[in-house]
Amino acid sequence: MIDHTIKEYIEKIDLTQPIPTEEPMRQYYFLKKAKEIVKKESERLGRPLFSHTNTFGCQMNARDSEKLSGILREVGYMETDSEEADFVIYNTCTVRENANLRVYGRLGVLHGYKKKNPHMKIALCGCMMQEPTVVEKLQKSYRFVDLIFGTHNIFKFAELLVTTLESNRMVIDIWKDTNQIVEDLPIERKYPFKSGVNIMFGCNNFCSYCIVPYVRGRERSREPRDIIREIEGLVADGVVEIMLLGQNVNSYGKNLDNPMTFAELLEEIEKIEGLERIRFMTSHPKDLSDELIQVMAKSTKICRHLHLPLQSGSTSLLKVMNRKYTKEQYLALADKIRTAIPDIALTTDIIVGFPGETEEDFLETLDVVRKVRYDSAFTFIYSKRTGTPAAAMENQIPEEIVKNRFDRLLKEVQDISKEMAERFTGTTQTVLVEELNGQMKDYVTGRLSNNHVVHFPGDASLLGKLVTVHLDECRGFYYIGSKIGE
Ligand code: 5AD
Ligand code: SF4
């Protein structure tokens, strides 16, 4: 169902009728109910009610936040950049300890706002809430939080919103897992011209350092027809670029009633008229098929970018990480991809300081970095996540050693990124214009197919357009260019 049809449907709901048990009808009922509560409160105060959504973490969370914002807007809140709002929701991440610490820090600030505005409601959801120790801590020391829910029941937000608005106690609803996928809820897109699209939820890989499988549950793929229908709707609404989202998109479709591979899904999506660019994230090297490489190579819409997390270059460490590939297999895969698609940009994630990492292991990682020559790499210091196998491993690495390795790795990846970016200087590329440049007046900023960023003279009329740009100069991580056509 597209957005305006949802609106019409909600208009017609009679709140005196029994609450529907089927989804998404049940949530439509609560949307309508929340709408009435918000309207009354707004009339009482003589001003609109404001909401603020703050997202931590990955693209998946960013997309989930668009669903939260969509509901808040539908029930009558006005979105504001300020956290001094009537309803504030944090969509949290827990992949590394730092993400959690930031949330606790911000909560102190929110508490201050709530003292000034006692009617303020504070909600927390997302990955961090799936950890029982977090919820215990919130219950004990953060009593001013009004609503806590997790990743599996985000579709119930409208219903939980009503419960919270109608009560003064802390509402907590966390599910351990689910195999439910609820379609057709309202979504408020951040960009009119590009959008994330979930193709699967959860993860079955259990890399030994990673908390995601515990907080996002088991792998579930969306039905291809639902995905295609959503993309067609987005394209009709002005979207030209989509990012297919999943923790491990390469294993898409395995658990469908009629199994389908990710490459087959891509071929179907490619056929959608009016769609110009297709991106996806994240690929696991162990599942990246030759079929996918072939589909990418011949595609005119799939972007020339592949994010291929390495994590470590040491075969023995990869084994303890439960990554299911060796250094040699990874290098061969990178080679195969570069041979089939020479202008592709390869990016990666690397962890340093995993338990037991020796200097030799680390040198293997540096060796892969030098051989693959990534266009960019996200480097992370290993963070111990309670409940994961790695957290229980002895031989955790002392901080000074990790810091030293991290700095050496960062320097290496940055030097290589700069050299790699140079290879496109002087070429002409298609660019999707994404925003007005914040620093340079009368400049806009856009992305090439390979995800590199370019700034060039232009104005707001170019936003959301695909234009042809000459890359005049490379300044490390971005280009300065000039537009030569539309
Ligand atoms: N510590 C540090 N980095 C981690 N990642 C996942 N779990 C951890 C952890 N415990 C990194 C991985 C992953 C990225 C999203 O976050 O590199 O690819
Ligand atoms: Fe963070 Fe992982 Fe959750 Fe994304 S899926 S928000 S990275 S914990």
Side-chain angles (χ1 to χ4, degrees):
M1 209 185 291
I2 38 177
D3 259 17
H4 66 264
T5 338
I6 300 176
K7 273 193 190 12
E8 280 165 24
Y9 185 92
I10 294 171
E11 283 296 313
K12 291 196 201 108
I13 292 174
D14 178 355
L15 289 177
T16 61
Q17 293 296 308
I19 302 170
T21 48
E22 292 281 300
E23 298 295 1
M25 307 314 165
R26 185 177 173 86
Q27 296 314 310
Y28 295 164
Y29 176 94
F30 283 107
L31 271 169
K32 173 116 181 192
K33 189 149 188 201
K35 217 172 181 159
E36 301 214 329
I37 300 173
V38 168
K39 189 162 170 254
K40 256 194 215 136
E41 180 66 3
S42 163
E43 279 166 5
R44 191 182 69 80
L45 293 170
R47 62 166 178 85
L49 293 190
F50 293 96
S51 69
H52 178 86
T53 309
N54 191 355
T55 313
F56 299 78
C58 65
Q59 309 263 7
M60 198 76 111
N61 256 23
R63 182 65 175 159
D64 281 348
S65 286
E66 292 186 343
K67 298 176 187 170
L68 300 169
S69 296
I71 286 175
L72 287 167
R73 186 164 92 167
E74 186 58 40
V75 305
Y77 283 99
M78 282 179 74
E79 176 83 23
T80 159
D81 288 340
S82 162
E83 293 199 334
E84 281 194 83
D86 299 292
F87 191 95
V88 174
I89 182 157
Y90 280 5
N91 189 7
T92 63
C93 169
T94 187
V95 74
R96 284 169 293 275
E97 179 73 21
N98 265 349
N100 297 42
L101 296 178
R102 272 174 58 216
V103 168
Y104 290 125
R106 295 291 323 158
L107 276 178
V109 179
L110 287 190
H111 195 192
Y113 295 151
K114 191 164 178 170
K115 282 181 188 150
K116 282 198 262 168
N117 173 11
H119 296 289
M120 178 182 183
K121 295 280 185 187
I122 300 173
L124 299 173
C125 67
C127 297
M128 193 176 149
M129 300 306 125
Q130 292 295 140
E131 290 183 275
T133 49
V134 168
V135 177
E136 278 162 32
K137 181 166 170 168
L138 292 167
Q139 276 177 294
K140 203 162 150 245
S141 313
Y142 296 81
R143 295 295 315 163
F144 56 91
V145 173
D146 299 283
L147 170 62
I148 299 173
F149 59 102
T151 55
H152 303 302
N153 54 349
I154 185 169
F155 71 87
K156 256 185 85 178
F157 180 44
E159 183 170 348
L160 293 167
L161 187 61
V162 169
T163 314
T164 304
L165 293 175
E166 285 183 335
S167 95
N168 282 323
R169 58 186 177 86
M170 191 187 234
V171 178
I172 304 178
D173 191 7
I174 312 281
W175 296 5
K176 278 207 157 45
D177 209 342
T178 184
N179 41 32
Q180 211 172 347
I181 297 178
V182 179
E183 301 283 344
D184 296 323
L185 290 170
I187 296 188
E188 167 102 337
R189 283 203 316 279
K190 189 168 169 207
Y191 295 95
F193 49 85
K194 67 170 186 177
S195 178
V197 174
N198 297 107
I199 62 165
M200 58 194 301
F201 304 93
C203 179
N204 287 353
N205 289 323
F206 291 96
C207 301
S208 62
Y209 49 82
C210 188
I211 199 158
V212 172
Y214 306 90
V215 296
R216 287 265 174 188
R218 297 292 67 73
E219 241 169 63
R220 285 148 288 150
S221 296
R222 273 178 85 193
E223 286 294 335
R225 63 171 178 275
D226 290 332
I227 298 171
I228 304 277
R229 197 169 50 116
E230 178 177 350
I231 301 173
E232 285 171 347
L234 289 167
V235 170
D237 202 27
V239 166
V240 290
E241 178 181 301
I242 53 154
M243 164 83 91
L244 305 174
L245 299 171
Q247 303 298 345
N248 178 14
V249 292
N250 300 114
S251 65
Y252 171 80
K254 285 184 184 156
N255 52 5
L256 289 170
D257 291 342
N258 296 311
M260 179 185 208
T261 64
F262 178 54
E264 286 165 349
L265 176 71
L266 280 172
E267 284 189 300
E268 288 306 308
I269 295 174
E270 174 111 18
K271 291 181 198 152
I272 299 175
E273 233 171 278
L275 179 66
E276 304 278 353
R277 278 182 168 184
I278 305 167
R279 298 187 185 279
F280 55 84
M281 169 90 93
T282 289
S283 294
H284 193 305
K286 80 176 165 63
D287 299 314
L288 200 141
S289 65
D290 289 351
E291 185 198 10
L292 174 64
I293 299 174
Q294 291 321 313
V295 168
M296 284 185 81
K298 66 171 197 268
S299 166
T300 54
K301 296 187 180 175
I302 303 173
C303 288
R304 280 2 201 178
H305 173 214
L306 195 64
H307 186 67
L308 200 59
L310 168 69
Q311 313 302 3
S312 167
S314 153
T315 296
S316 58
L317 219 56
L318 284 167
K319 192 160 176 43
V320 191
M321 287 178 162
N322 195 27
R323 291 290 288 174
K324 303 198 173 76
Y325 53 84
T326 62
K327 175 187 181 186
E328 288 68 31
Q329 284 166 335
Y330 185 97
L331 285 172
L333 179 62
D335 243 9
K336 193 156 57 175
I337 296 164
R338 281 248 166 84
T339 307
I341 316 162
D343 57 345
I344 200 158
L346 287 179
T347 60
T348 200
D349 293 340
I350 300 169
I351 298 175
V352 285
F354 182 85
E357 185 187 68
T358 61
E359 177 64 16
E360 288 68 38
D361 290 322
F362 176 67
L363 292 177
E364 297 274 20
T365 300
L366 278 186
D367 188 45
V368 175
V369 165
R370 287 180 189 132
K371 287 194 166 118
V372 175
R373 299 183 59 74
Y374 294 104
D375 289 79
S376 74
F378 295 103
T379 50
F380 303 109
I381 286 180
Y382 167 73
S383 171
K384 193 171 169 175
R385 308 313 289 127
T386 310
T388 61
M393 288 176 193
E394 286 162 18
N395 53 29
Q396 304 276 330
I397 310 294
E399 208 179 309
E400 328 77 73
I401 296 184
V402 180
K403 186 79 185 65
N404 169 279
R405 287 181 191 157
F406 182 82
D407 291 344
R408 282 151 70 200
L409 176 66
L410 190 64
K411 175 153 185 0
E412 194 72 42
V413 298
Q414 287 183 343
D415 289 351
I416 293 173
S417 296
K418 282 184 202 151
E419 287 167 23
M420 288 301 279
E422 280 296 355
R423 76 191 190 282
F424 298 109
T425 312
T427 63
T428 298
Q429 304 272 349
T430 306
V431 171
L432 175 62
V433 185
E434 298 195 343
E435 52 204 10
L436 295 175
N437 192 296
Q439 264 90 48
M440 288 183 281
K441 196 173 161 327
D442 301 326
Y443 271 65
V444 290
T445 299
R447 264 173 213 277
L448 321 188
S449 166
N450 65 21
N451 213 34
H452 278 282
V453 169
V454 57
H455 308 298
F456 61 98
D459 58 36
S461 68
L462 295 177
L463 291 178
K465 291 213 173 105
L466 284 151
V467 296
T468 314
V469 174
H470 182 264
L471 306 181
D472 304 328
E473 188 193 338
C474 176
R475 295 200 186 151
F477 303 109
Y478 61 89
Y479 300 95
I480 298 294
S482 35
K483 180 165 89 82
I484 53 177
E486 280 186 29

